[in-house]
């Protein structure tokens, strides 16, 4: 692997009182190469979103505390980066698709206006901003994009809001896209459409993707490597095929077994037996 | 409800506001009130607008204007003119800037030479070949022999206990009341929004300090605080002091409201999404949080205008407000109160004017609130 696009080392993040902290992220290290897709899996509350937000220091302090770690993006240290540089990094270099589409758009501006702002801020060289907005919306499968530009977020369905968020993130043409469960609000066909789109963009632009998901189907289809998080720690990582075929950690094994497989008869879904882990 | 494609915030505001008949009526009434107040000397004055006598034509009303009125009546249209001509003027920015600077400086120098002119002649009675009197041919301070007469053609709103024309006094008083209501609320809004935004955005010790400060401010009965400040400032006739004092004591409610709205909105993820796209603190505050909390802020601001007008009248009543010669609406009502048993017009007309003004402000406020929130359906 050449010089990594992103390198996270010993990242530690706490919440709550200093004497009894909640260690949301505890000694997490990983690296990503340009154009690579890394999946982060793990149960709810395992620290996936917190890790993702920390990449551009988006967590509000307080309540969060960055207790340890270094984050290098393209060789530059994010943890000590001055604010203006950090702002230039966000969006332009690292863009996010958030978990909650419904409250991630500003309610009082039209979606066209919001995408316009993102484009104007990060790609001032674009001449035909309007055409670019329409293209961005077309790309994520919003039909009649030109007539929907004037819609306010509340006039869109949850799935459409999520697609607008995705369009906005992609319109910035980032080097790293952090997608926090980008397809949870979407139905299966749209989900496939979006993932195909991401795959296509990835191959065209060499954009790296950090994909946070619960969906092992997506992981096996899409990710080059997997990181498994459990209670704030990385318990397992490696190339996707390997991890899925030979999970080392009992938690990973349990997680994979919990996914119902098509065509396989099973009376009951498996439930993770926490007593057996650790 | 189809919005034009990617309209901006202000375009939507204008589009939705202009559909609200009540708010629009209120808006134009307020504009009308401000215009009438600005033109008061031309509407209520015992100097003729045009007078022809001994074969000479003169404009006595112009000579009755105070220097400050000259400055206002020249500078406001001048500013409007410069604004209207900004495109052709500033096509060449250097030349445009030079022209504007020269014109403004020349005009200000000329205005500095305007002398107050104490002209006691009365064109109503002075014979002339031709004269065009203002609509109300009385000056606000001029006493007629008919004290306490009811409305008539001669005195549209009657006269007060010293025979002064109530209509003329209402018109001239509008200047004080409107200016105090508007300016003091702009001050209160500016201070309140700033403090509230800082507290609600940065939280922690900033919030702590600002909240304690607000509580301290609210501990004082504001009227008492105002009286003390005005008492100490020994410039009782200074309208600016009164505006500032009302504004600087009336911002706490706005600050609390803004803080609360910011805290509420901070819980949603769009401010964080904006940061993730590279927005700085100022941008998040001005573009994301403030536009989303504007509705309730505007409504309280318009109520604030009403309470500022009322507060000024309480001050006048206690002898701490604007002193004569310029009566405010509050003065008129508190003077008229003593004669209310038999001279209803003394309280009635200023009261109606005040009521209409305050209601107009409230309609505008509610119209703006409905217009800022795209989720509310406009009628
Ligand atoms: N603002 C906060 N204040 C306090 N604790 C927090 C905050 N945000 C996150 N945490 C804690 O950090 C831990 C990790 O949360 P995180 O959001 O990263 O989980 P996640 O892996 O993304 O889960 P999910 O799959 O449900 O999105 C949780 O224990 C959570 O309670
Ligand atoms: Mg999460």
């Amino acid at each position: 692997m050449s010089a990594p696009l992103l390198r996270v080392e010993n990242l530690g993040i706490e919440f709550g009182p200093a004497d009894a902290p909640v260690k949301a992220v505890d000694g997490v290290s990983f690296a990503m190469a340009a154009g690579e897709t890394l999946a982060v899996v793990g149960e709810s509350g395992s620290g996936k979103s917190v890790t993702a937000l920390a990449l551009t220091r988006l967590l509000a302090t307080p309540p969060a505390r960055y207790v340890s770690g270094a984050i290098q993006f393209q060789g530059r240290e994010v943890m000590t980066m001055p604010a203006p540089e950090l702002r230039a990094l966000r969006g332009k270099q690292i863009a996010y698709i958030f978990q909650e589409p419904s409250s991630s758009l500003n309610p009082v501006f039209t979606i066209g206006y919001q995408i316009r702002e993102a484009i104007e801020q990060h790609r001032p060289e674009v001449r035909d901003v309007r055409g670019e907005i329409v293209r961005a919306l077309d790309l994520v499968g919003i039909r009649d994009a030109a007539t929907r530009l004037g819609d306010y977020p509340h006039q869109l369905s949850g799935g459409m809001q999520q697609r607008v968020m995705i369009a906005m993130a992609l319109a910035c043409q980032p080097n790293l896209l952090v997608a926090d469960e980008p397809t949870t609000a979407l139905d299966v066909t749209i989900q496939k459409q979006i993932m195909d789109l991401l795959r296509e963009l990835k191959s065209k632009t060499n954009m790296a993707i950090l994909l946070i998901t619960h969906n092992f189907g997506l992981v096996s289809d899409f990710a080059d490597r997997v990181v498994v998080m459990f209670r704030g720690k990385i318990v397992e990582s490696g190339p996707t095929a390997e991890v899925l075929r030979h999970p080392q950690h009992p938690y990973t094994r349990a997680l994979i077994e919990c996914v119902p497989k098509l065509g396989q008869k099973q009376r009951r879904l498996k439930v993770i037996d926490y007593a057996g882990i650790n | 409800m189809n919005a034009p494609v990617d309209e901006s915030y202000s375009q939507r505001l204008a589009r939705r506001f202009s559909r609200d008949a009540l708010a629009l009526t209120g808006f134009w009434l307020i504009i009308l009130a401000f215009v009438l107040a600005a033109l008061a000397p031309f509407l209520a004055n015992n100097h003729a607008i045009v007078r022809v006598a001994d074969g000479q034509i003169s404009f006595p009303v112009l000579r009755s204007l105070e220097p400050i009125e000259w400055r206002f009546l020249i500078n406001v249209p001048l500013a409007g003119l410069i604004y209207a001509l900004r495109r052709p003027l500033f096509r060449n920015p250097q030349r445009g800037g030079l022209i504007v600077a020269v014109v403004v400086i020349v005009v200000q120098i000329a205005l500095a030479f305007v002398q107050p002119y104490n002209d006691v002649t009365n064109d109503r009675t002075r014979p002339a070949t031709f004269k065009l009197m203002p609509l109300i041919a009385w000056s606000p301070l001029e006493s007629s022999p008919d004290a306490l007469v009811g409305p008539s053609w001669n005195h549209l709103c009657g006269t007060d206990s010293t025979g002064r024309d109530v209509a003329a006094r209402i018109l001239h008083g509008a200047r004080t009341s409107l200016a105090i209501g508007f300016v003091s609320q702009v001050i209160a809004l500016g201070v309140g929004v700033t403090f509230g935004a800082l507290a609600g955005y940065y939280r922690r010790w900033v919030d702590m300090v600002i909240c304690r400060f607000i509580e301290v401010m609210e501990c004082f009965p504001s009227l008492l605080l105002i009286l003390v400040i005005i008492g100490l400032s020994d410039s009782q006739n200074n309208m600016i002091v009164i505006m500032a004092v009302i504004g600087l004591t009336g911002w706490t409610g706005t600050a609390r409201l803004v803080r609360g709205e910011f805290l509420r909105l901070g819980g949603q993820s769009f401010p964080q999404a904006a940061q993730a796209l590279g927005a700085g603190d100022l941008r998040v505050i001005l573009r994301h949080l403030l536009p989303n909390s504007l509705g309730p802020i505007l409504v309280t601001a318009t109520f604030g205008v009403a309470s500022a007008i009322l507060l000024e009248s309480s001050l006048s009543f206690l002898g701490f407000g604007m002193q004569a010669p310029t009566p405010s609406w509050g003065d008129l009502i508190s003077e008229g109160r003593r004669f209310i048993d038999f001279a209803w017009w003394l309280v009635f007309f200023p009261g109606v004017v005040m009521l209409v003004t305050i209601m107009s402000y409230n309609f505008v406020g509610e119209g703006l609130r409905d217009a800022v929130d795209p989720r509310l359906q406009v009628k």
Side-chain angles (χ1 to χ4, degrees):
Chain A
M1 199 163 56
S2 56
L5 178 72
L6 173 76
R7 185 202 295 280
V8 177
E9 246 156 67
N10 191 31
L11 183 66
I13 291 160
E14 291 179 357
F15 288 95
D19 47 351
V22 178
K23 291 186 175 167
V25 176
D26 188 4
V28 163
S29 305
F30 62 93
M32 286 179 76
E36 187 185 30
T37 301
L38 177 70
V40 178
V41 294
E43 66 184 342
S44 195
S46 56
K48 306 184 297 291
S49 297
V50 171
T51 306
L53 290 172
L55 294 182
T56 56
R57 285 205 346 244
L58 270 176
L59 289 166
T61 50
R65 283 191 303 279
Y66 296 92
V67 288
S68 70
I71 298 169
Q72 265 151 24
F73 185 80
Q74 293 178 331
R76 289 181 299 161
E77 179 55 56
V78 176
M79 277 301 183
T80 55
M81 199 176 262
E85 223 176 303
L86 194 60
R87 282 202 297 276
L89 181 80
R90 294 171 178 169
K92 176 76 184 155
Q93 304 288 342
I94 304 182
Y96 285 86
I97 302 170
F98 282 106
Q99 209 168 353
E100 301 153 45
S102 55
S103 69
S104 294
L105 290 165
N106 188 335
V108 301
F109 292 107
T110 63
I111 58 168
Y113 192 78
Q114 295 185 52
I115 300 175
R116 171 185 295 272
E117 283 210 310
I119 294 176
E120 282 175 351
Q121 187 177 354
H122 294 296
R123 292 166 60 202
E125 75 282 0
V126 173
R127 272 292 147 94
D128 176 19
V129 179
R130 233 202 100 124
E132 193 65 30
I133 301 170
V134 173
R135 214 165 309 138
L137 288 176
D138 265 339
L139 214 57
V140 291
I142 290 186
R143 256 161 294 153
D144 314 321
T147 60
R148 310 246 32 172
L149 290 184
D151 281 359
Y152 289 92
H154 74 278
Q155 294 169 303
L156 306 177
S157 70
M160 287 169 83
Q161 288 172 348
Q162 190 143 14
R163 278 183 277 168
V164 171
M165 287 296 301
I166 297 173
M168 212 141 86
L170 293 180
C172 301
Q173 297 186 339
N175 292 324
L176 171 62
L177 180 70
V178 180
D180 195 347
E181 308 192 22
T183 56
T184 34
L186 305 178
D187 61 62
V188 189
T189 47
I190 307 282
Q191 187 171 327
K192 179 162 184 325
Q193 200 179 325
I194 298 272
M195 294 319 288
D196 287 344
L197 166 72
L198 289 182
R199 201 194 314 269
E200 188 190 321
L201 279 170
K202 201 177 69 155
S203 62
K204 255 195 232 157
T205 62
N206 207 29
M207 174 174 76
I209 299 178
L210 183 75
L211 177 68
I212 296 172
T213 182
H214 289 132
N215 185 337
F216 269 95
L218 276 186
V219 174
S220 62
D221 267 5
F222 200 72
D224 303 318
R225 286 190 310 123
V226 190
V227 159
V228 183
M229 285 188 76
F230 180 63
R231 296 186 186 165
K233 292 192 166 78
I234 291 184
V235 292
E236 181 156 7
S237 67
T240 308
E242 214 163 287
V243 172
L244 288 187
R245 212 165 315 130
H246 310 290
Q248 299 298 311
H249 196 271
Y251 173 68
T252 319
R253 232 170 286 153
L255 212 55
I256 294 172
E257 276 176 18
C258 288
V259 180
K261 295 194 180 68
L262 280 179
Q264 188 176 322
K265 279 214 171 132
Q266 218 165 18
R267 276 267 172 71
R268 301 181 55 184
L269 287 178
K270 283 228 174 150
V271 175
I272 295 180
D273 169 24
Y274 286 101
I277 308 170
N278 284 346
Chain B
M1 189 191 102
N2 260 324
V5 163
D6 61 336
E7 67 178 345
S8 73
Y9 192 79
S10 48
Q11 285 165 337
R12 171 168 50 84
L13 209 72
R15 174 176 61 86
R16 291 173 57 112
F17 187 82
S18 62
R19 283 203 201 148
D20 187 339
L22 212 53
L24 213 54
T25 312
F27 175 76
W28 287 115
L29 280 175
I30 291 172
I31 297 290
L32 180 71
F34 272 89
V35 170
L36 291 182
L39 299 178
F42 299 89
L43 296 170
N45 205 324
N46 60 12
H47 293 77
I49 297 173
V50 182
R51 178 170 186 270
V52 181
D54 312 326
Q56 281 193 323
I57 185 164
S58 64
F59 305 95
V61 70
L62 294 182
R63 291 192 303 179
S64 75
L65 296 179
E66 295 289 329
I68 188 171
E69 290 173 325
W70 273 109
R71 280 205 293 277
F72 184 81
L73 290 172
I74 299 284
N75 282 331
V76 170
L78 181 67
L81 191 69
I82 292 173
Y83 183 75
L85 294 178
R86 67 192 183 285
R87 293 248 163 82
L89 262 178
F90 289 99
R91 194 163 297 142
N92 178 341
Q94 275 163 359
R95 197 191 50 189
L98 192 69
I99 293 174
V100 169
V102 168
V103 169
V104 168
I105 290 170
V106 167
V107 168
Q108 300 317 311
I109 290 174
L111 283 172
F113 285 104
V114 175
Q115 293 295 320
Y117 186 86
N118 252 335
D119 188 358
V120 286
T121 52
N122 182 340
D123 289 321
R124 224 177 24 251
T125 50
R126 196 149 60 120
T129 336
F130 169 80
K131 65 185 173 194
L132 174 64
M133 291 301 288
L135 195 64
I136 298 161
W138 299 84
S139 289
L141 300 177
E142 180 191 12
S143 296
S144 73
D146 317 321
L148 293 174
V149 297
S152 65
W153 280 117
N154 193 11
H155 296 287
L156 288 177
C157 301
T159 62
D160 69 4
S161 57
T162 49
R164 294 175 296 194
D165 184 86
V166 173
R169 289 170 71 73
I170 290 176
L171 253 176
H172 284 262
R175 308 170 134 198
T176 316
S177 291
L178 292 176
I180 285 180
F182 187 80
V183 177
S184 68
Q185 266 331 281
V186 169
I187 295 173
L189 206 59
V191 177
V193 167
T194 308
F195 277 130
L198 290 176
Y201 187 77
Y202 289 106
R203 307 181 187 200
R204 296 210 284 168
W205 64 268
V206 182
D207 188 31
M208 238 280 292
V209 170
I210 290 175
C211 280
R212 294 300 87 76
F213 183 45
I214 291 175
E215 281 155 19
V216 169
M217 290 290 294
E218 284 183 343
C219 276
F220 297 107
S222 66
L223 195 60
L224 203 64
L225 193 63
I226 293 171
L227 291 180
V228 170
I229 297 175
I230 294 179
L232 290 176
S233 75
D234 72 37
S235 53
Q236 298 185 358
N237 286 329
N238 193 342
M239 182 141 89
I240 294 176
V241 171
I242 291 181
M243 288 175 187
V245 165
I246 293 180
L248 292 177
T249 52
W251 56 269
T252 53
T254 312
R256 278 180 185 284
L257 193 74
V258 175
R259 172 181 174 270
E261 286 290 301
F262 272 38
L263 290 178
R264 178 177 71 80
L265 295 168
Q268 301 186 16
S269 50
F270 70 87
Q272 195 176 45
Q275 281 179 332
L277 280 170
D281 288 354
L282 198 62
R283 191 178 178 83
V284 173
I285 291 175
L286 294 180
R287 296 296 266 170
H288 296 272
L289 297 173
L290 211 49
N292 275 286
S293 37
L294 214 52
I297 297 175
L298 288 170
V299 175
T300 46
T302 57
F303 284 115
V305 170
S307 67
I309 292 176
L310 293 172
L311 194 55
E312 193 280 329
S313 58
S314 331
L315 289 177
S316 305
F317 186 65
L318 295 171
F320 280 89
M322 294 292 301
Q323 302 296 307
T326 25
S328 71
W329 291 342
D331 287 323
L332 297 183
I333 293 177
S334 59
E335 282 168 22
R337 212 179 48 110
R338 287 187 291 151
F339 307 100
I340 197 162
D341 293 343
F342 51 94
W344 55 272
W345 55 90
L346 291 182
V347 176
F348 178 76
F349 291 109
V352 166
V353 172
M354 203 146 132
L355 183 75
V356 170
T357 307
I358 289 170
M359 273 181 30
S360 300
Y361 267 111
N362 291 349
F363 287 145
V364 168
E366 283 173 19
L368 283 174
R369 181 198 55 199
D370 293 348
V372 293
D373 191 343
R375 283 160 295 193
L376 294 174
Q377 205 72 34
V378 259
K379 298 140 264 202

